[in-house]
Amino acid sequence: MFSTASQTMLNQSLFEDQDLSSQLGFFPIHSNFSSFQLGCSQSLKNLAMVPPSLAVDTPANLSEYFALKQKEEIPYQSAGSQCFSSQRSTADYWAWEEMNYPMSIKRSGGENYLGVSAMKMKKIKTRRKVREPRFCFKTMSDIDVLDDGYKWRKYGQKVVKNTQHPRSYYRCTQDNCRVKKRVERLAEDPRMVITTYEGRHIHSPSHDEDDSQVSSQITNFFW
DNA sequence: CGTATTTGACCCGCGC
DNA sequence: GCGCGGGTCAAATACG
């Protein structure tokens, strides 16, 4: 069902580092992207992987998956148990999300460097604040801002160190909805777009289409 | 003219 | 304490 041209290209890209992916149970992605700087096993305790059967490979599928995610219709899996037990064949995993509790990790250099994401988790631990749930996608697309059914307003752009592509920051335009997302391109492969969502919408997508119909179609499609 | 984007300034947590 | 760097703010600008 996902045997599209983009899927093939995506997999080729993702499989570049077979060792690390099989070792960690998820794909090593752009080392300069803070949310993906989790190349150590400890961090997996705080991640939930997207089930392979629900892997999405195109912007359209991303939109569908995101819609489901927002409605909590897709159960989260604990990466800590899934990745290192029976599910060793994790080649289809390509996205992850943070679980909503702090982790105790120590910062280390090189490939195991933990970026902002992890550092903020540490802050949360000390401040006893709960971080908004986050999950992210790696998608092959010419379009930076993928249509996920929600309306976003850009509030910042930043050139992250050691990358040539700027990271863009968006906020949901809906009143009282504090969902944010970050969009950036992979340095190693500019064809890939990484979208990170933070928080959960308090409303349904503001699309012109018939949302309920779309939703039911998606549900039937997956389950 | 109202709304969205751009972009430099600013904030703040972290490591040294 | 200081500097770095990611994230956010907000004034200026663009756009319709």
Side-chain angles (χ1 to χ4, degrees):
Chain A
M1 73 175 73
F2 289 116
S3 60
T4 61
S6 62
Q7 169 78 43
T8 306
M9 295 167 71
L10 180 67
N11 284 343
Q12 281 173 357
S13 171
L14 289 173
F15 290 155
E16 278 171 10
D17 195 340
Q18 281 280 3
D19 284 348
L20 197 54
S21 61
S22 61
Q23 190 183 342
L24 298 177
F26 68 103
F27 296 108
I29 311 181
H30 185 200
S31 61
N32 291 315
F33 185 60
S34 60
S35 293
F36 282 101
Q37 291 169 345
L38 294 160
C40 62
S41 57
Q42 296 97 312
S43 62
L44 286 171
K45 294 172 191 166
N46 301 283
L47 303 179
M49 311 304 286
V50 177
S53 59
L54 298 177
V56 285
D57 59 325
T58 65
N61 287 336
L62 168 71
S63 172
E64 293 169 0
Y65 185 84
F66 181 67
L68 286 175
K69 206 68 179 166
Q70 288 296 312
K71 292 177 182 178
E72 295 183 277
E73 289 173 4
I74 295 176
Y76 296 163
Q77 290 181 305
S78 165
S81 59
Q82 292 291 335
C83 290
F84 297 108
S85 57
S86 58
Q87 294 203 10
R88 296 295 297 184
S89 176
T90 51
D92 289 326
Y93 290 130
W94 66 279
W96 62 266
E97 65 185 278
E98 286 181 352
M99 302 302 282
N100 214 355
Y101 51 85
M103 52 183 166
S104 57
I105 39 172
K106 286 178 181 168
R107 188 167 180 160
S108 56
E111 292 299 312
N112 289 336
Y113 170 83
L114 291 167
V116 171
S117 162
M119 292 192 289
K120 288 208 167 175
M121 295 300 278
K122 286 175 73 178
K123 293 178 201 169
I124 290 161
K125 190 176 186 178
T126 49
R127 289 188 169 193
R128 304 195 193 285
K129 278 184 181 176
V130 179
R131 193 191 223 302
E132 291 294 317
R134 299 200 302 178
F135 58 99
C136 55
F137 299 92
K138 182 180 177 184
T139 310
M140 178 167 292
S141 172
D142 293 333
I143 307 162
D144 286 340
V145 185
L146 306 170
D147 182 11
D148 50 27
Y150 291 88
K151 244 190 132 206
W152 304 91
R153 173 163 38 244
K154 191 173 185 175
Y155 68 90
Q157 180 170 302
K158 194 86 177 177
V159 175
V160 185
K161 203 185 170 193
N162 300 325
T163 63
Q164 63 262 46
H165 302 286
R167 176 184 299 169
S168 298
Y169 300 87
Y170 298 87
R171 225 192 301 270
C172 183
T173 56
Q174 196 81 15
D175 284 347
N176 300 323
C177 184
R178 310 197 64 178
V179 178
K180 288 178 280 191
K181 76 170 175 180
R182 301 199 299 247
V183 176
E184 72 179 287
R185 289 204 171 265
L186 210 54
E188 293 85 347
D189 186 359
R191 297 172 303 174
M192 307 301 296
V193 175
I194 295 174
T195 308
T196 304
Y197 293 95
E198 180 173 334
R200 201 176 289 279
H201 291 282
I202 59 170
H203 57 95
S204 47
S206 55
H207 240 213
D208 297 334
E209 303 164 25
D210 185 349
D211 290 337
S212 60
Q213 189 187 346
V214 172
S215 174
S216 63
Q217 283 176 349
I218 294 167
T219 305
N220 293 335
F221 179 75
F222 280 128
W223 305 110

